[in-house]
Amino acid sequence: MAKAYSGSLYPVQAGQLITVVGKVSSESERFDVELLSDNGHSYEGEDDEAQDDYDSDYGDIHFHMSVRFCCGGNEIVRNTHLKCIGWGEEEREVNMLPDNIKNPIRPGGFFKIAIYVDQCYFFISIDEKPFCTYKHRLPLFGIRKINVLRDAKILQVTQKQVQPVPWPTFDENSFIGSAPLQFNPGNVNVIAGALEGDSSGKF
């Protein structure tokens, strides 16, 4: 099983954006993007070659995103793999955003996968369009690596902080707001606050 890219990550925390840009082989059957630990356990792969590759440097796989084109599947499967349990329950259509197709990536084409890290979820977009969410099944602090496997050529992998570190959050005595660009489809507004006053009140 070919490894298209393997790299270390800075400590992963909420407010970060991890992006993978590449091109799919025109003969590709699938490629996988994975966020994983470095605790070194092996797992039961699909074949001997896969087993050898995973034995070499893999750990718990926090987020496994398998982009599949073969056997009439043409879908993106998400999952997690734990040392003592094995693979969890696959997500194929669950948690996809409305009206999305199962796999917008095409063999022979370029792609950009962006994974926004929230407190409880990964928010995944493909080619700048929101695709799905994936709830964390393991603590974020365990993620140490990113691997891309199989039939894809990777052009760029980035990890950056795009939102302030959640805690401490803000000065409770002030409010700052800005809209630097005109709102367009795909923009997201995030409002954070602390509730005060009567417990039966509204805001």
Side-chain angles (χ1 to χ4, degrees):
M1 178 169 53
K3 190 178 292 184
Y5 176 87
S6 181
S8 297
L9 295 171
Y10 293 103
V12 174
Q13 57 185 339
Q16 291 182 358
L17 184 68
I18 299 169
T19 59
V20 179
V21 179
K23 184 177 182 180
V24 187
S25 164
S26 58
E27 295 83 26
S28 176
E29 295 186 351
R30 81 185 248 191
F31 71 93
D32 303 335
V33 177
E34 298 180 331
L35 304 179
L36 57 147
S37 71
D38 58 359
N39 59 6
H41 90 263
S42 61
Y43 91 116
E44 295 179 3
E46 299 167 0
D47 50 49
D48 292 339
E49 183 181 1
Q51 181 68 51
D52 292 341
D53 197 54
Y54 276 84
D55 279 347
S56 63
D57 67 350
Y58 266 59
D60 292 323
I61 303 171
H62 293 239
F63 177 59
H64 168 87
M65 179 176 176
S66 181
V67 182
R68 302 179 182 180
F69 310 107
C70 66
C71 308
N74 199 33
E75 59 188 352
I76 296 178
V77 180
R78 290 87 63 197
N79 209 338
T80 294
H81 188 274
L82 303 178
K83 179 176 182 179
C84 300
I85 299 175
W87 287 108
E89 183 177 355
E90 290 184 341
E91 295 185 10
R92 295 173 182 260
E93 297 184 33
V94 64
N95 294 324
M96 282 180 56
L97 298 183
D99 301 322
N100 278 348
I101 62 176
K102 292 183 180 180
N103 184 3
I105 300 174
R106 294 290 174 260
F110 291 92
F111 65 87
K112 178 181 179 181
I113 296 171
I115 305 169
Y116 176 76
V117 184
D118 188 59
Q119 292 279 19
C120 300
Y121 289 87
F122 296 116
F123 290 86
I124 296 93
S125 70
I126 298 175
D127 297 333
E128 309 294 354
K129 181 181 178 181
F131 178 71
C132 71
T133 64
Y134 187 83
K135 189 173 183 178
H136 302 163
R137 300 185 189 178
L138 293 170
L140 289 175
F141 64 79
I143 300 174
R144 292 290 181 268
K145 296 185 65 176
I146 180 170
N147 280 357
V148 184
L149 307 174
R150 304 177 191 265
D151 305 321
K153 178 181 179 181
I154 302 307
L155 304 174
Q156 184 182 69
V157 175
T158 61
Q159 177 190 14
K160 59 184 178 181
Q161 190 78 30
V162 294
Q163 294 291 334
V165 177
W167 307 109
T169 46
F170 31 69
D171 181 353
E172 65 179 19
N173 297 315
S174 66
F175 172 80
I176 299 173
S178 64
L181 299 173
Q182 181 176 344
F183 293 131
N184 290 300
N187 290 153
V188 176
N189 290 334
V190 179
I191 300 174
L195 299 178
E196 295 181 349
D198 192 284
S199 61
S200 63
K202 301 178 180 179
F203 76 94

